[in-house]
Amino acid sequence: MMPALAHHLTLSTLLLGLQLPENGHCKSSRLLPETGSFRTLNKKKPRRSMALMSSCKDGDGQVSLKVGEGERLYLGMDFGTSGARFALIDQHGTIFSEGKREYPKYTNEETIDWVRSWKTTLFSLLGDVPVDLRPFISSISIDGTSATTIILDSNTGEVLWRPFLYNESCPDALPFVKAVAPANHTVCSGTSTLCKLVFWWNNEGAYEKSAVLLHQADWLLWFLHGKLGVSDYNNALKVGYDPELESYPPWLLSQPYSQLLPSVKAPGTVIGLLKDDIRTEFGFSNDCAVCTGTTDSIAAFLAARATEPGKAVTSLGSTLAIKLLSTSRIEDARFGVYSHRLDDKWLVGGASNTGGAVLRQIFNDEQLQKLSEHINPMEASPLDYYPLQAAGERFPVADPKMLPRLSPRPQSDVEYLHGILESMARIEARAYSLLKELGATQVEEVFTAGGGAKNEKWTKIRERVLGLPVRRAAQTEAAYGAALLALKGKQSVAP
């Protein structure tokens, strides 16, 4: 029986109450001793009397932003695979401002210095929030890529090892993890957070006197609240945390590296107030709170407002991530399937390494748009591919050695793109079919989030292949879901 959380405002209740617009492998490498683009995207106006007006310009001209008397705003930030976004909303879900940044390409010994890049982007986004709106922000939350892992000195916060990226596999650690974890547990995958922790421990961790593990979102939030060692149960799932029992299991706590595990709270829980130095520098309110975050795919699910069992969200970003709202919890590492907790239900699914990053290896955005116009989505492509950037797949097949299959290439680029999109749709269909076979709630409708949601021809292809209604989510950005978590957190502690 899942523990009751009567003191928490449930996300399902929050989402239903909103009146929203209908519109690689591990390598030993110790870290050595920090321009993007921004534009305000919002053009919607709240339908209420307003007391304050603030304006900022974007590429389209003047945009008016209004805040009502006594109104508070909620800031969410999404740190994805290639860049970061922010969304600023009010309690009704109205978007006041949005912005994005690409990660600056800092290098460190010929590798990308992600630590410096992510930190720089965090503060760039804070600076991109319109100045006149900052005093009205009541709370902040952040989502990050699942299983992106950072090891810090627990006394100083110094990063002890380069970050382990979300799709990075540590096969050498897998036998050690399988020796202690239950069979087919979520952590029994080379890309799991626990495998990354064990790899670090075996290579250097046993010699460190003090260290703590954080996920990407946890680490970024730490800069805002200053309390080292706090995570959420969505991010902590792949390190072995049991969200049903609300604790780490005994088999994990008995390991010597368990001392690195962070404390875990529900997503959208207030951790503390924004640090004084940041509040002063950026002009945020004195009572601005910082809330625990979540993973990027769950934030995208929250943004889509899929609140009933059987509703699913496919995030078509750099990768393809699936989340199905189910009454049953499903865990099976053989297929890369795992369940995240969402109040009293479960988000069942996984993430494939296919997706937009593969498309961008072959076509630019202009080509994708023009070629798509000539595709007949009602006609099945005879081409059979398995589009991957490099070797390795996570879901619906967990095979770190799987090779990309993108040939033969026809002379027609339209046919080639059609074949790739259709092959990705087949992977998606295979994923949903697998979830049903494993005991999850039957999928009834699929919402689409991420950049791929804009491609109407791809949507039609997916609808035909899936045999299900597919539509673009009302909100498609994970940053919006993170903002909902910030709203949830502040409303949960409101008197």
Side-chain angles (χ1 to χ4, degrees):
M1 178 72 66
M2 187 180 296
L5 293 177
H7 60 288
H8 287 302
L9 174 71
T10 68
L11 283 167
S12 297
T13 301
L14 174 64
L15 293 172
L16 286 170
L18 291 177
Q19 299 300 315
L20 303 179
E22 288 296 338
N23 300 328
H25 291 321
C26 299
K27 297 179 181 178
S28 299
S29 175
R30 188 177 177 88
L31 180 74
L32 300 178
E34 152 185 271
T35 68
S37 61
F38 162 73
R39 63 190 183 101
T40 297
L41 305 175
N42 176 62
K43 292 183 174 63
K44 300 182 182 73
K45 298 181 181 179
R47 302 172 183 173
R48 299 176 296 283
S49 60
M50 300 299 165
L52 177 142
M53 176 179 288
S54 171
S55 299
C56 64
K57 292 183 178 181
D58 66 8
D60 301 319
Q62 196 79 3
V63 178
S64 296
L65 305 166
K66 300 181 179 181
V67 183
E69 186 174 358
E71 182 94 60
R72 301 307 301 270
L73 302 177
Y74 307 89
L75 177 62
M77 288 182 278
D78 161 52
F79 280 71
T81 55
S82 58
R85 294 176 178 268
F86 80 82
L88 189 62
I89 66 172
D90 68 4
Q91 64 178 335
H92 304 282
T94 303
I95 299 175
F96 274 60
S97 184
E98 292 178 295
K100 63 181 179 179
R101 288 264 177 174
E102 293 183 359
Y103 295 135
K105 296 298 188 289
Y106 299 123
T107 57
N108 185 1
E109 292 189 334
E110 298 183 354
T111 62
I112 297 177
D113 187 347
W114 289 113
V115 167
R116 184 183 178 193
S117 179
W118 293 332
K119 181 179 179 181
T120 299
T121 303
L122 170 66
F123 288 98
S124 294
L125 285 183
L126 291 175
D128 289 340
V129 176
V131 174
D132 290 341
L133 297 179
R134 296 178 198 170
F136 296 89
I137 296 176
S138 179
S139 53
I140 302 171
S141 187
I142 297 174
D143 73 75
T145 49
S146 176
T148 294
T149 307
I150 305 173
I151 309 291
L152 309 175
D153 185 297
S154 57
N155 295 319
T156 66
E158 176 192 0
V159 178
L160 298 176
W161 194 270
R162 62 169 184 80
F164 294 94
L165 300 184
Y166 69 99
N167 60 348
E168 192 169 354
S169 182
C170 296
D172 293 345
L174 191 54
F176 295 91
V177 171
K178 287 185 174 181
V180 297
N184 303 323
H185 192 282
T186 302
V187 298
C188 296
S189 167
T191 59
S192 74
T193 310
L194 186 57
C195 275
K196 292 162 185 173
L197 170 58
V198 170
F199 174 87
W200 175 82
W201 181 263
N202 288 343
N203 279 272
E204 185 162 342
Y207 303 102
E208 292 289 348
K209 295 181 179 180
S210 59
V212 63
L213 178 149
L214 291 181
H215 308 89
Q216 182 187 33
D218 310 334
W219 180 71
L220 292 164
L221 286 164
W222 167 62
F223 286 108
L224 304 185
H225 59 69
K227 299 179 181 180
L228 193 61
V230 182
S231 186
D232 64 89
Y233 61 57
N234 292 151
N235 272 298
L237 182 75
K238 292 183 180 179
V239 78
Y241 185 82
D242 189 330
E244 191 167 8
L245 299 178
E246 295 188 327
S247 66
Y248 290 108
W251 62 261
L252 180 56
L253 291 175
S254 64
Q255 304 307 311
Y257 44 77
S258 66
Q259 63 192 28
L260 277 78
L261 299 175
S263 64
V264 178
K265 302 178 183 293
T269 300
V270 172
I271 303 170
L273 295 179
L274 188 64
K275 289 169 57 179
D276 288 342
D277 57 338
I278 296 177
R279 177 180 54 78
T280 301
E281 178 181 355
F282 290 97
F284 288 96
S285 63
N286 292 339
D287 65 344
C288 182
V290 181
C291 304
T292 49
T294 186
T295 66
D296 53 350
S297 60
I298 291 182
F301 187 95
L302 297 177
R305 294 188 294 154
T307 58
E308 299 295 326
K311 305 294 184 182
V313 173
T314 297
S315 297
L316 298 174
S318 297
T319 59
L320 186 153
I322 281 175
K323 291 285 183 290
L324 167 66
L325 193 59
S326 172
T327 56
S328 302
R329 180 184 184 183
I330 308 297
E331 307 277 344
D332 200 324
R334 293 176 302 167
F335 307 105
V337 174
Y338 54 91
S339 294
H340 280 287
R341 181 175 166 183
L342 182 63
D343 299 325
D344 61 345
K345 298 182 181 65
W346 297 97
L347 289 180
V348 182
S352 169
N353 286 337
T354 196
V358 182
L359 292 172
R360 285 191 171 86
Q361 282 185 325
I362 305 169
F363 304 108
N364 59 39
D365 289 345
E366 183 179 358
Q367 289 173 321
L368 286 171
Q369 181 179 349
K370 290 184 176 180
L371 292 172
S372 294
E373 293 174 358
H374 299 285
I375 291 175
N376 179 359
M378 306 314 296
E379 180 180 313
S381 170
L383 299 171
D384 182 23
Y385 302 133
Y386 206 107
L388 297 171
Q389 271 191 292
E393 174 61 308
R394 298 176 288 163
F395 168 75
V397 177
D399 182 359
K401 297 181 180 179
M402 177 180 280
L403 296 175
R405 191 171 72 249
L406 285 162
S407 62
R409 178 169 181 165
Q411 290 185 340
S412 167
D413 284 344
V414 173
E415 291 180 15
Y416 193 41
L417 177 59
H418 188 176
I420 294 173
L421 295 180
E422 181 123 358
S423 296
M424 289 180 177
R426 293 190 197 114
I427 294 171
E428 182 183 2
R430 182 178 178 184
Y432 282 117
S433 177
L434 174 64
L435 297 184
K436 179 185 177 182
E437 292 171 12
L438 294 175
T441 299
Q442 170 69 47
V443 59
E444 297 175 354
E445 184 178 19
V446 176
F447 297 87
T448 308
K454 301 173 184 176
N455 191 318
E456 295 182 3
K457 295 296 181 72
W458 195 4
T459 299
K460 292 295 183 182
I461 291 172
R462 293 169 54 231
E463 221 171 23
R464 171 173 51 78
V465 173
L466 292 173
L468 294 167
V470 177
R471 62 190 179 98
R472 187 177 179 183
Q475 296 293 337
T476 62
E477 296 299 343
Y480 187 92
L484 290 176
L485 278 183
L487 170 60
K488 170 183 180 282
K490 205 56 185 284
Q491 288 190 347
S492 294
V493 298

